[in-house]
Amino acid sequence: FSVFCSADVFHTVAELPILERRNWLIHLHYIRKDYETCKTIIKEQLQETQGMCEYAIYVQALIFRLEGKIQESLELFQTCAILNPQNLDNLKQVARSLFLLGKHKSAIEVYNEAARLNEKDWEIEHNLGVCYMYLKDFEKAKEHLNCALQHSKHDLSFVMLGKVHLLDGNVEEAIEVYKKAVEFSPENAELLTTLGLQYLQLGLYQKAFEHLGNALTYDSNNYKAILAAGSMMQTHSDFDVALSKYRVAAHSSPESPPLWNNIGMCFFGKKKYVAAISCLKRANYLAPFDWKILYNLGLVHLTMQQFASAFHFLSAAISLHPKMGELYMLLAVALTNLEDPDNAKRSYEQAVALDQ
């Protein structure tokens, strides 16, 4: 009798129009990424509750964001915040949507409101730091990111703090941050690569090679580390070793303009000019507005004494990067060989003027 009674009661309860009764089903379809079914259930739930089911609105907002409908997503998250103003997640999602819309000042206001509900939330402090970084208020950005790291050490906060120091022109400070990050996550290939690249820019090749090598130990397909290590070998004329590295990178990033540019210049170093042009043209096809690739194409054509082609690529490079004297110098060489001494002279003068 008791079993029959409880089943009967359960049946009656299940029929009641409870605000949250389909939440488990909405959640199930959302985590399965079955968004169409999820939206159908949400619609039914919202009709049944006259639009008062907070969870259904919240998930609908998440789906809108995934679909790129950021403004619609923001409006729904704001509705959730009105329905439940003490829910920290609702405020964080409103702020996130404002951030994605580029409204960084408004996002900061909402994050500050959320911080009053929980003063020790890593995510809030981290995102405040990122917002201030985009507003170019680097001091406040550093303050919030340091605060985030005090609450919880996250790789992402280390990376952003390092980036803020770089944007503020403090390379040494950035390196110190990345060193701490690597101490905290010694097997994080991205962090090791980032630190290696900073050492590379400072010309500290031994330290750079060490960190890039470590990055490749933990992730042998890390595209950035392979490209950086390859370019160092290329600089030291180890073209065959560099090319073997680039072959690995080409599997994971076959559409990378810097990769094809570097492969092209390796072939140029090996005096295989036709292969060099082929690779550089692929790089140029993938990144038509990259002046360095155009510069290299001009250089290779000049070496092959194809002066008209060299003139074409060097002119294109100059239109994109008009402040580099070396480009005008190479253009002058091409013009001289094309028997245009007047324009060649002007190019030489421009090169001298820029290099003073």
Side-chain angles (χ1 to χ4, degrees), residues 79 96 100-101 107 126 147 168 171 182 194 214 228 232 234 243 313 321 333:
T79 305
R96 176 76 184 149
L100 291 171
L101 288 166
H126 173 87
C147 199
D168 204 18
V171 179
V182 166
T194 306
N214 285 343
M232 283 174 70
Q234 205 169 330
L243 281 169
F313 288 114
H321 193 69
V333 173

Side-chain angles (χ1 to χ4, degrees), residues 32-172:
R32 284 180 178 170
K33 299 183 180 177
D34 181 4
Y35 301 130
E36 290 311 309
T37 309
C38 197
K39 285 195 277 190
T40 306
I41 299 164
I42 287 168
K43 192 178 176 185
E44 289 170 10
Q45 179 84 326
L46 290 174
Q47 281 173 347
E48 200 172 286
T49 61
Q50 280 84 51
M52 295 298 284
C53 177
E54 181 193 344
Y55 186 72
I57 298 167
Y58 185 90
V59 176
Q60 179 72 73
L62 289 175
I63 293 171
F64 274 155
R65 184 185 287 167
L66 288 168
E67 292 172 345
K69 299 172 183 172
I70 309 298
Q71 184 60 43
E72 293 92 326
S73 170
L74 168 64
E75 287 161 13
L76 290 182
F77 283 129
Q78 284 171 328
T79 305
C80 290
I82 291 164
L83 286 171
N84 189 354
Q86 294 307 304
N87 186 321
L88 191 63
D89 270 341
N90 290 341
L91 288 174
K92 285 202 269 191
Q93 294 292 4
V94 169
R96 176 76 184 149
S97 295
L98 288 164
F99 172 80
L100 291 171
L101 288 166
K103 297 177 178 177
H104 300 117
K105 285 182 181 173
S106 302
I108 285 168
E109 285 174 21
V110 179
Y111 276 128
N112 282 330
E113 198 181 321
R116 282 192 280 275
L117 294 174
N118 184 358
E119 290 176 5
K120 292 187 177 179
D121 189 299
W122 163 79
E123 190 186 346
I124 293 170
E125 289 296 340
H126 173 87
N127 289 332
L128 276 166
V130 175
C131 286
Y132 279 116
M133 181 186 80
Y134 279 104
L135 291 171
K136 293 185 167 55
D137 188 340
F138 299 131
E139 289 312 309
K140 281 199 171 172
K142 288 176 208 171
E143 183 188 317
H144 284 288
L145 288 165
N146 277 314
C147 199
L149 286 165
Q150 282 170 10
H151 295 326
S152 179
K153 284 184 166 52
H154 273 262
D155 293 348
L156 195 56
S157 294
F158 279 119
V159 169
M160 294 313 291
L161 183 58
K163 189 176 178 181
V164 171
H165 281 301
L166 289 175
L167 289 168
D168 204 18
N170 299 325
V171 179
E172 280 79 11

Side-chain angles (χ1 to χ4, degrees), residues 9 11-12 31 130 139 152 180 214 229 231 261-262 301 345:
V9 169
H11 182 73
T12 312
I31 59 169
V130 175
E139 289 312 309
S152 179
K180 283 180 192 166
N214 285 343
S231 67
N261 176 65
N262 283 19
H301 280 293
K345 188 185 172 194

Side-chain angles (χ1 to χ4, degrees), residues 237-255:
S237 302
D238 292 336
F239 301 121
D240 289 322
V241 182
L243 281 169
S244 69
K245 292 276 179 201
Y246 295 148
R247 269 192 205 98
V248 178
H251 285 295
S252 58
S253 299
E255 304 291 295

